[in-house]
Amino acid sequence: MERRTRPLVLTWLALLALLAISATTVWIPLGWINTAIGLAVATVKALLVAIVFMRLRAGHPLLRLTALAGLVTLALLFFLSGTDYATRSAVPAPWQQPSTEAAPLGSS
């Protein structure tokens, strides 16, 4: 195996192993741990793709800065959405009893 293709093949094998882990956790009922495992696997997959396939490790500093800006923007959106959700008051929608008789066809 060539020196240049070895990291790509190892990353591909790691992604396949992570795929197997995430597919296996679907069938094992572990409660909230399934969500934690899924988030951890997704994070590792994203880091592998960003570091190896996007070549952020050896990339230009402007490329790294752009990737960091994207992550900061995503974190800001999650933070603002979370604060919006946390500060809303629960106002139930008004309930209206459905009519027992359907309107005739063609009437408005």
Side-chain angles (χ1 to χ4, degrees):
M1 185 180 315
E2 276 189 47
R3 186 176 177 170
R4 289 179 28 200
T5 59
R6 183 180 170 99
L8 298 175
V9 171
L10 291 176
T11 304
W12 178 68
L13 290 173
L15 287 172
L16 285 178
L18 290 169
L19 173 67
I21 290 170
S22 61
T24 304
T25 58
V26 171
W27 301 104
I28 302 172
L30 298 174
W32 63 271
I33 297 176
N34 279 350
T35 304
I37 291 172
L39 287 173
V41 166
T43 302
V44 172
K45 284 180 185 180
L47 286 173
L48 281 173
V49 168
I51 290 171
V52 176
F53 293 120
M54 293 175 60
R55 299 184 179 132
L56 287 180
R57 185 178 8 172
H60 192 272
L62 185 60
L63 180 64
R64 291 181 187 179
L65 184 64
T66 305
L68 181 65
L71 288 176
V72 168
T73 303
L74 182 65
L76 181 66
L77 288 172
F78 275 126
F79 174 74
L80 290 175
S81 297
T83 55
D84 179 45
Y85 180 74
T87 57
R88 287 190 179 211
S89 59
V91 179
W95 173 253
Q96 181 179 0
Q97 185 71 23
S99 63
T100 56
E101 189 175 308
L105 290 175
S107 65
S108 46

